[in-house]
Amino acid sequence: MFPTFSAATSFSKLYSPSDGANMASKYELFDRSRLLIKPLGKRTHDMQLDYVLSLDDPAPDFSHAQLPEVARRMAAARRNGAARILMMGAHVIKMGTSRHIIDLIDRGFISHVAMNGAGAIHDYELARIGATTESVARYIQTGEFGLWKEAGDLNDVIKEAADLSLGLGENLGRHIDTGDFPHKDVSIFAAAYRRSVPVTVHVGVGYDIIHEHPNSDGAALGAASYRDFLIYTRAVEKLEGGVMLDFGTAIMGPEVYLKALSMVRNVARQQGRSVKQFTTAVFDLVPIQGDIHHELPKTDPGYYFRPHKTILVRTVADGGESFYFCGDHRATVPALRRALLEAE
């Protein structure tokens, strides 16, 4: 039986332990003070700064008949002040497209960027040392994976964000933009901070290498990232007539967007408004079988590809429209930028 409670009943009243709030856990914790943390200078990096595309560099070919239409809608959303949200996976940075994304921010085509914790780490490392990405296969064998001193410094930025009541993304952008980072010109966070464009970081506890470090503070991480979730949800309130892009985020992007949209529609409905007329576009490597505008049956493994059922079908079923572009991010990001410049 579940306990009964009214709306005013607190969780602590229902579940507080009988011997007080400071009850010790009966389970042992891993002692992080035993870890050996090495400097980043001793790590072999799989991605160097010269892999980041310049705006004039040739990019792999990509074309799609519907890409100009998405660009046209983004340009229209910019003119009308509607949201132009980019949700992206960390792999988009690893494919060397940061300068293209920064240019879209500078031109006002993107009004909000959302990414996972790994995206923040890659952006930070590129800005700091001009390299990023370690070989998991190599370093997991020796127990060195993720345990690099400079990466752990991000935990101090997160603690400060929580102390200052700032979002994780805002404080990271502030640090890179105002700090002594030799390659800050390739930082999406710094560029967005200068333009007052929110970059929000949506973390999963235990997902990222910085969570291995002794100075990682779960409470600070939760406070700073949850503030980012509320900043993101506020941006979704302006999605009517806008565009939501999903570049290579198959779990974080669809799931965070789904919850935020439900919150926004809950409030809009109370106010006699709706958030239905908007465009979504997914850019990913996964081929989708059949009609992208209809869910696959649960017996099909493709049913569990969240960008399809969540972003392309369910959330636009009552008035929106969706598009899908299958291709490498090193090709699709520059292709979208070209289409936007032409639409402009």
Side-chain angles (χ1 to χ4, degrees):
M1 290 290 293
F2 290 105
T4 59
F5 57 95
S6 67
T9 304
S10 69
F11 178 89
S12 59
K13 183 177 180 181
L14 284 168
Y15 297 105
S16 56
S18 59
D19 55 345
N22 296 321
M23 179 179 178
S25 171
K26 62 182 180 180
Y27 304 117
E28 293 184 3
L29 301 182
F30 181 88
D31 179 6
R32 295 176 295 176
S33 67
R34 299 180 297 158
L35 293 168
L36 174 63
I37 312 294
K38 295 185 177 181
L40 269 176
K42 293 186 176 295
R43 187 177 85 181
T44 300
H45 303 95
D46 291 348
M47 179 190 174
Q48 304 291 335
L49 191 64
D50 59 7
Y51 189 66
V52 180
L53 288 166
S54 296
L55 297 179
D56 296 329
D57 285 346
D61 289 335
F62 181 83
S63 63
H64 194 289
Q66 294 180 320
L67 192 58
E69 177 61 19
V70 171
R72 185 192 67 77
R73 295 185 187 197
M74 290 182 67
R78 181 184 64 173
R79 290 193 301 271
N80 297 328
R84 290 91 60 206
I85 298 172
L86 168 63
M87 300 197 80
M88 54 179 279
H91 192 65
V92 180
I93 294 176
K94 292 168 66 174
M95 293 310 295
T97 65
S98 293
R99 290 192 179 101
H100 287 72
I101 293 170
I102 290 169
D103 187 63
L104 295 182
I105 292 170
D106 287 341
R107 293 176 183 271
F109 284 119
I110 297 207
S111 62
H112 188 107
V113 180
M115 64 177 80
N116 58 15
I121 294 167
H122 289 310
D123 186 277
Y124 171 82
E125 289 183 349
L126 278 175
R128 182 162 178 171
I129 65 170
T132 190
T133 307
E134 60 187 307
S135 169
V136 178
R138 172 179 177 174
Y139 288 114
I140 194 59
Q141 294 180 10
T142 57
E144 296 170 287
F145 172 67
L147 294 168
W148 311 102
K149 180 182 181 303
E150 293 86 344
D153 291 348
L154 265 172
N155 286 316
D156 296 328
V157 176
I158 293 168
K159 288 180 185 177
E160 184 183 59
D163 290 341
L164 297 175
S165 295
L166 297 176
L168 196 166
E170 179 179 2
N171 203 43
L172 179 55
R174 183 176 71 90
H175 262 271
I176 297 175
D177 185 48
T178 60
D180 185 20
F181 286 75
H183 309 291
K184 65 177 68 176
D185 61 301
V186 296
S187 169
I188 296 170
F189 283 81
Y193 182 79
R194 288 192 297 272
R195 295 287 183 178
S196 297
V197 171
V199 179
T200 51
V201 183
H202 306 270
V203 301
V205 175
Y207 278 30
D208 302 319
I209 61 170
I210 61 174
H211 304 167
E212 302 175 45
H213 290 243
N215 67 336
S216 183
D217 184 328
L221 185 71
S225 187
Y226 189 73
R227 179 174 289 272
D228 271 358
F229 171 64
L230 297 181
I231 292 170
Y232 172 80
T233 304
R234 183 72 177 96
V236 175
E237 283 201 280
K238 300 179 181 178
L239 192 55
E240 182 76 5
V243 180
M244 205 288 289
L245 307 174
D246 179 299
F247 267 87
T249 169
I251 298 175
M252 180 280 294
E255 292 302 313
V256 171
Y257 157 70
L258 184 67
K259 280 70 173 185
L261 183 62
S262 183
M263 293 163 70
V264 165
R265 285 179 168 171
N266 181 289
V267 173
R269 187 175 183 182
Q270 295 178 64
Q271 298 173 342
R273 300 183 295 105
S274 64
V275 182
K276 297 180 179 179
Q277 304 288 336
F278 57 85
T279 300
T280 64
V282 175
F283 296 75
D284 213 304
L285 305 173
V286 179
I288 295 179
Q289 304 299 323
D291 185 352
I292 68 162
H293 299 118
H294 291 87
E295 290 186 32
L296 294 170
K298 291 184 178 181
T299 54
D300 191 317
Y303 169 84
Y304 299 96
F305 181 54
R306 289 174 175 85
H308 182 189
K309 64 182 179 182
T310 299
I311 299 177
L312 300 179
V313 183
R314 293 177 177 176
T315 58
V316 293
D318 50 358
E321 190 171 3
S322 60
F323 300 85
Y324 186 67
F325 304 94
C326 184
D328 191 296
H329 303 311
R330 195 170 175 85
T332 57
V333 173
L336 176 62
R337 177 178 174 270
R338 289 194 303 270
L340 284 165
L341 295 180
E342 292 172 3
E344 195 175 39

